[in-house]
Amino acid sequence: MANHYYSENPETAHDLHQWSFELAGKNFQFVTDSGVFSRGTVDYGSRVLIEHFEAEDLPAGTLLDVGCGYGPIGLALAHRTQRPVEMIDVNNRAVELAQENAKRNGIEADIHQSNIYETLHQETYAVIISNPPIRAGKKVVHQILIEAEPLLEVGGSLTIVIQKKQGAPSAKSRMEEVFGNAEIVAKDKGYYIIRSIKE
């Protein structure tokens, strides 16, 4: 049975929850369901990523949220940066929830199903962000890092959140290999925010 949040079609029974959470200075209303990641609250890693994300020095253009889940990162950053946002997830249930959450919060975003970067609506992005699906395995996480580089505009950034014990050091090394740079922007309770800039 496909019950993982990184499955295309989770088969767990629906169990809808509605709750609110403040992100980026806005009180968001979320609806979540079984079969999606961290459905009871915005997970700590996502909160740290939102808090430490900086877009001021980046080129104009779209922000791509990879593995968006029910939408907290992409929607919060759409609100804060006022950039166009595209949000993708392999999990159809997560995509439907993210679409619903965008509507509930009055945020426009292009939200659709895609297995990593298979189905994108643009050729390049100013920003790629991800709270990568650690449980899908290192191969998937590193594919997100490696394949981000050709999709970024020059000067654009890839920013991820990953726990030290779940592979932050190896993710940072891989980003350094691919981009020639990788900076730990923040560390908070074992979560690392790592950013690479396309030069």
Side-chain angles (χ1 to χ4, degrees):
M1 273 183 59
N3 287 335
H4 303 293
Y5 64 80
Y6 51 85
S7 311
E8 196 165 320
N9 292 299
E11 291 163 7
T12 43
H14 287 283
D15 181 18
L16 291 166
H17 282 265
Q18 295 182 38
W19 42 279
S20 62
F21 200 94
E22 188 171 315
L23 295 169
K26 176 178 168 72
N27 190 31
F28 279 86
Q29 305 298 318
F30 288 115
V31 59
T32 60
D33 197 353
S34 56
V36 300
F37 174 67
S38 190
R39 70 191 184 119
T41 186
V42 178
D43 68 287
Y44 197 77
S46 292
R47 287 182 235 170
V48 177
L49 177 55
I50 292 162
E51 188 184 333
H52 292 282
F53 177 76
E54 293 291 336
E56 285 70 36
D57 302 335
L58 299 173
T62 300
L63 182 150
L64 176 67
D65 179 2
V66 182
C68 67
Y70 58 83
I73 297 176
L75 296 177
L77 295 181
H79 166 69
R80 194 168 85 207
T81 66
Q82 297 298 302
R83 286 172 178 264
V85 170
E86 185 173 339
M87 297 162 58
I88 55 173
D89 202 295
V90 70
N91 177 338
N92 282 311
R93 189 177 288 186
V95 168
E96 285 169 16
L97 291 166
Q99 289 166 338
E100 170 65 25
N101 288 326
K103 277 196 211 108
R104 280 175 178 244
N105 293 287
I107 291 172
E108 291 225 355
D110 175 11
I111 304 168
H112 61 95
Q113 197 270 345
S114 177
N115 183 12
I116 311 187
Y117 303 115
E118 268 173 25
T119 318
L120 296 177
H121 292 168
Q122 291 186 205
E123 287 181 12
T124 59
Y125 297 86
V127 183
I128 297 177
I129 49 168
S130 187
N131 182 350
I134 300 300
R135 290 191 188 132
K138 188 172 178 176
K139 183 170 173 276
V140 170
V141 173
H142 283 227
Q143 192 180 345
I144 290 170
L145 309 181
I146 294 161
E147 294 179 11
E149 198 271 346
L151 295 169
L152 282 167
E153 295 165 29
V154 173
S157 74
L158 168 67
T159 303
I160 66 161
V161 57
I162 188 164
Q163 283 191 67
K164 183 178 182 185
K165 66 181 184 197
Q166 291 183 327
S170 74
K172 182 174 183 284
S173 306
R174 183 48 61 94
M175 286 165 74
E176 269 165 357
E177 274 169 37
V178 174
F179 287 89
N181 66 84
E183 178 193 359
I184 297 171
V185 179
K187 294 180 185 178
D188 189 338
K189 293 189 181 170
Y191 287 92
Y192 283 32
I193 307 299
I194 310 171
R195 179 177 63 203
S196 291
I197 305 284
K198 180 166 178 175
E199 293 173 337

